[in-house]
Amino acid sequence: MDPITLSTEMIVVLALLGFTVFLFVSEIVRVDLAAIIVMVLLGGLSYLPGLGGLADINHLFDGFASNAVISIIAVMIIGAGLDKTGLMSKVAATILKYGGTTEGRIIPIISGTVGVISSFMQNVGAAALFLPVVSRISSRTNIGLSRLLMPMGFCAILGGTMTMVGSSPLILLNDLIIATNADLPADQQMQTFGLFSVTPVGIALVITGILYFMIFGRWVLPGASAKNDAASGQSMNEYLKRLYGLKADIVEVEVPEGNILLGQSFSDLMDVHHIYIIGSYFKGQRWISPVVDTEITTPCRLAILGRKKVIEEMADIYGLNILPELDIFAEEFAPTKSGVAEIVIPPDSEIIGKTAQERALRKTYGMSMLAIHRGEETLSHVETDDHEATRIGRVPFRAGDTLVVHVQWENLTRVNRDKDFVVVTSDFPQEELRPQKVSWALLFFSIAVGMILFTDVRLSLCLLTGAAGMIVTKVLDIDEAYRAVGWNTVFLLASLIPLGQAVQSTGTAEWIAQGILSVLDGWPIWALQAGVAILATIFTLVMSNVGATVLLVPLAVSIAIAAGGDPAIFAMTVAISTSNSFLIPTHQVNALIMGPAGYRVIDFVRTGGIMTILFLIVSMFMMNVVF
């Protein structure tokens, strides 16, 4: 192998790589802006004499039309479409049913599921589909999104090593082996790999990732960021206590068969004990904000809002069972679906002089009124530390009254259109779910996945087919589709693609590889294999994993033959190790989860650094055991 001379263009590329890493780690500017700055510098420098080979100016922005970027845009739209039908809420509810509300149980369920899914579809697709699921789980459990997204994202990357179609490098590997065989003598020909040849290695890596976060997650995962806390909303009890001096929790109670409350109305129970019944469940039927005149039938479940000690005293009196946490009503009263809102009565409202019971606020609008804030006074059905409770359902409304209500966001969206009310609360999810569109959403999702698995159609086109189908069938409209796209992720990835191409086209990558491999010359076979794995890991951080695989597989095969090793295993080492991309957010999955979770580059360096080492150890061990 002829030695490669370091050229001026290579020096400039190395400087740009160093500058990129500096911007990422220092976070002087946001990482997406840092990527744009590097792309602009790369294009500008290409006009200087002697640096024309840095980048093809006519194709500098081709990254925005790349297969990877278009695939990410499409899969974000598909995920939003599935979420719009309420399907992802049901998935989240199922996970919570079996995983509870603790990190130690939720993380392995989410991560294991995403890992398996990503073994048959692109890992960024699996991660994007589960992003709304994890967001809803975060809201319902008060576990920070930053505590859940990184385990999910890392296991999506790891899951791509479980089959030969799980990641682009593994898909490409057999073609590279066949091409390399053309230049090898008959006795050195390599066998191609079957679909599940790599599965034992991939399973070991996914299990390692799950165990890593289960055991060390409390120390290595970043805490909930302020951004994430704001996104999940303020808890209802903190809000009521801070603004109105009301202490209230939502508690689910079970009324046993033949209980003494049988035949009593909700209003009787509410008036006597100064609580609100905001949900009821009987024989598989669930009512939210039920009519107060409803009679209690047994056995049933009630969702009660009030002071917890009052509810406990009431449960002792009537022999009710208090559940440790919301069960049947967990989804309905999750912050993503309902919460506390403030509504003002305008001067021209037709409900002035009327009461909540007369206007049947629960039946008509689905609102459970908690308090009326009038001037300096707060009237409430819940007894406070300062005054007795008021039967606010019988208090006539006045102009300027602020009604404090507990309501599902879907109902509040409709109230917002009513001229009798002015909804003050603005930071609630103002979207209407479309459960009637679930069949269309599942159909086009299945079409997209089927095209990926059973055809040779380009990945981006497969996913865009599913996304376009959902838009055409009005699962979501085109404006909602645009809003579903994380444009910071798109610009981050698209802007880094030219730098990766420059690393390869200028010969910088080959120069780096040759220099490292010359240092490894004469080392034992296991050390050479480890060196190849480390080299592939480094390359995949600064260029596409496909480009790293294409560049390094022939070099790895040559090293193996010269050292008397198995060239096929060395080639496999490259293809697997290009998935070892956890240190910085240049991998598509890491870029995807960075924004929603509020991660910083240093979070990936700290958490991903340990994962990178574990990946190298486990993959090297398993490949030598299996092959």
Side-chain angles (χ1 to χ4, degrees):
M1 186 184 298
D2 296 331
I4 300 173
T5 304
L6 187 64
S7 66
T8 303
E9 288 181 343
M10 292 181 190
I11 294 173
V12 172
V13 169
L14 289 171
L16 283 174
L17 281 174
F19 181 60
T20 303
V21 172
F22 168 74
L23 289 179
F24 276 15
V25 174
S26 65
E27 294 187 317
I28 295 174
V29 295
R30 272 177 34 168
V31 289
D32 48 344
L33 177 57
I36 294 172
I37 291 171
V38 171
M39 179 178 64
V40 171
L41 285 174
L42 186 66
L45 290 171
S46 298
Y47 280 99
L48 297 179
L51 299 179
L54 281 181
D56 185 344
I57 299 302
N58 295 323
H59 298 280
L60 183 65
F61 305 112
D62 284 1
F64 290 93
S66 68
N67 186 55
V69 170
I70 297 299
S71 297
I72 283 181
I73 292 174
V75 83
M76 286 177 176
I77 295 172
I78 289 174
L82 292 172
D83 190 39
K84 197 72 174 176
T85 65
L87 188 63
M88 291 310 185
S89 292
K90 294 180 180 177
V91 174
T94 302
I95 290 175
L96 287 173
K97 180 179 179 181
Y98 295 102
T101 57
T102 61
E103 279 187 34
R105 294 178 63 184
I106 290 176
I107 285 177
I109 294 177
I110 294 175
S111 303
T113 303
V114 173
V116 171
I117 293 174
S118 66
S119 68
F120 288 97
M121 67 180 297
Q122 290 290 311
N123 42 35
V124 67
L129 288 177
F130 261 73
L131 193 56
V133 175
V134 178
S135 178
R136 293 183 183 277
I137 290 174
S138 172
S139 296
R140 285 178 49 175
T141 60
N142 287 325
I143 299 174
L145 199 57
S146 59
R147 307 286 296 178
L148 299 176
L149 276 187
M150 194 172 284
M152 183 272 284
F154 281 15
C155 284
I157 297 173
L158 295 171
T161 64
M162 289 176 64
T163 67
M164 294 297 292
V165 296
S167 66
S168 299
L170 287 171
I171 293 173
L172 187 64
L173 180 59
N174 280 335
D175 290 338
L176 291 174
I177 287 176
I178 293 171
T180 306
N181 280 341
D183 300 323
L184 296 177
D187 59 337
Q188 294 179 348
Q189 295 282 306
M190 295 176 285
Q191 295 293 321
T192 56
F193 295 96
L195 178 62
F196 299 105
S197 296
V198 75
T199 300
V201 180
I203 290 175
L205 288 170
V206 171
I207 292 174
T208 299
I210 294 173
L211 291 176
Y212 168 52
F213 287 110
M214 287 179 65
I215 298 172
F216 301 106
R218 68 181 68 180
W219 297 289
V220 300
L221 285 171
S225 65
K227 177 180 178 179
N228 182 46
D229 290 341
S232 62
Q234 185 173 220
S235 69
M236 179 204 66
N237 48 5
E238 290 178 356
Y239 179 80
L240 291 176
K241 182 179 179 181
R242 180 172 60 84
L243 286 186
Y244 301 107
L246 305 178
K247 296 179 181 179
D249 295 283
I250 299 177
V251 178
E252 185 170 331
V253 302
E254 184 179 30
V255 183
E257 177 75 46
N259 188 270
I260 58 175
L261 289 177
L262 179 65
Q264 297 293 315
S265 70
F266 291 164
S267 61
D268 293 337
L269 202 60
M270 290 164 60
D271 288 343
V272 171
H273 296 283
H274 309 307
I275 48 90
Y276 299 95
I277 297 176
I278 59 175
S280 63
Y281 175 85
F282 179 69
K283 289 187 176 179
Q285 186 69 34
R286 191 183 290 107
W287 291 270
I288 305 301
S289 298
V291 178
V292 294
D293 293 332
T294 303
E295 291 187 354
I296 296 174
T297 50
T298 60
C300 69
R301 297 274 186 96
L302 301 176
I304 300 176
L305 188 149
R307 301 187 72 168
K308 193 164 186 179
K309 68 175 185 178
V310 173
I311 298 173
E312 290 172 347
E313 291 170 357
M314 183 188 72
D316 289 338
I317 294 172
Y318 300 113
L320 309 180
N321 301 321
I322 295 181
L323 277 68
E325 57 191 29
L326 293 180
D327 177 23
I328 289 173
F329 298 100
E331 178 66 25
E332 280 69 17
F333 297 126
T336 51
K337 292 200 68 173
S338 66
V340 175
E342 294 175 325
I343 301 172
V344 172
I345 307 296
D348 61 345
S349 174
E350 294 182 1
I351 72 169
I352 293 175
K354 298 181 180 179
T355 68
Q357 288 189 3
E358 289 173 345
R359 285 305 302 255
L361 287 190
R362 287 183 172 226
K363 183 177 182 179
T364 307
Y365 303 103
M367 299 188 299
S368 296
M369 195 164 63
L370 309 182
I372 299 176
H373 190 63
R374 180 176 291 170
E376 299 297 323
E377 185 182 14
T378 298
L379 308 175
S380 170
H381 200 81
V382 177
E383 184 179 336
T384 69
D385 293 331
D386 301 325
H387 54 76
E388 290 294 316
T390 306
R391 295 184 177 182
I392 57 172
R394 302 186 178 100
V395 176
F397 296 127
R398 298 179 186 175
D401 281 352
T402 298
L403 310 185
V404 184
V405 301
H406 188 276
V407 62
Q408 290 196 302
W409 303 132
E410 185 178 0
N411 292 334
L412 188 60
T413 302
R414 291 196 290 267
V415 173
N416 207 14
R417 307 189 192 109
D418 195 311
K419 64 181 181 63
D420 288 332
F421 303 99
V422 175
V423 177
V424 177
T425 303
S426 60
D427 57 344
F428 65 95
Q430 301 185 47
E431 62 175 359
E432 295 185 30
L433 295 179
R434 301 177 186 128
Q436 72 277 10
K437 295 290 186 179
V438 67
S439 298
W440 285 113
L442 286 174
L443 172 64
F444 283 101
F445 172 68
S446 301
I447 289 173
V449 173
M451 291 174 66
I452 293 169
L453 295 179
F454 305 114
T455 72
D456 294 327
V457 176
R458 191 176 175 85
L459 174 66
S460 52
L461 181 56
C462 295
L463 292 170
L464 273 178
T465 300
M470 289 188 183
I471 296 171
V472 169
T473 54
K474 299 189 183 301
V475 174
L476 70 172
D477 61 43
I478 188 66
D479 291 325
E480 291 168 337
Y482 287 139
R483 289 195 294 270
V485 178
W487 295 107
N488 56 335
T489 300
V490 170
F491 274 83
L492 171 61
L493 293 176
S495 300
L496 285 176
I497 286 175
L499 180 60
Q501 292 172 340
V503 171
Q504 190 169 354
S505 62
T506 59
T508 306
E510 197 169 355
W511 176 81
I512 295 172
Q514 192 178 86
I516 294 175
L517 295 177
S518 64
V519 174
L520 297 176
D521 188 34
W523 287 33
I525 292 177
W526 66 267
L528 288 173
Q529 186 183 1
V532 168
I534 293 171
L535 188 61
T537 300
I538 295 171
F539 273 38
T540 198
L541 296 176
V542 296
M543 61 189 297
S544 74
N545 51 11
V546 171
T549 304
V550 171
L551 175 70
L552 293 178
V553 163
L555 292 174
V557 169
S558 300
I559 292 170
I561 292 174
D566 187 337
I569 303 306
F570 271 61
M572 173 68 76
T573 300
V574 171
I576 288 181
S577 297
T578 50
S579 291
N580 192 3
S581 185
F582 308 104
L583 271 174
I584 53 178
T586 51
H587 192 282
Q588 299 164 19
V589 173
N590 292 338
L592 177 71
I593 64 176
M594 188 175 186
Y599 292 132
R600 299 177 303 152
V601 174
I602 193 64
D603 295 326
F604 285 98
V605 173
R606 182 179 62 249
T607 309
I610 301 173
M611 188 68 246
T612 298
I613 295 171
L614 290 174
F615 186 106
L616 287 168
I617 295 172
V618 174
S619 61
M620 289 298 96
F621 174 78
M622 289 300 299
M623 275 190 284
N624 283 282
V625 169
V626 174
F627 301 109

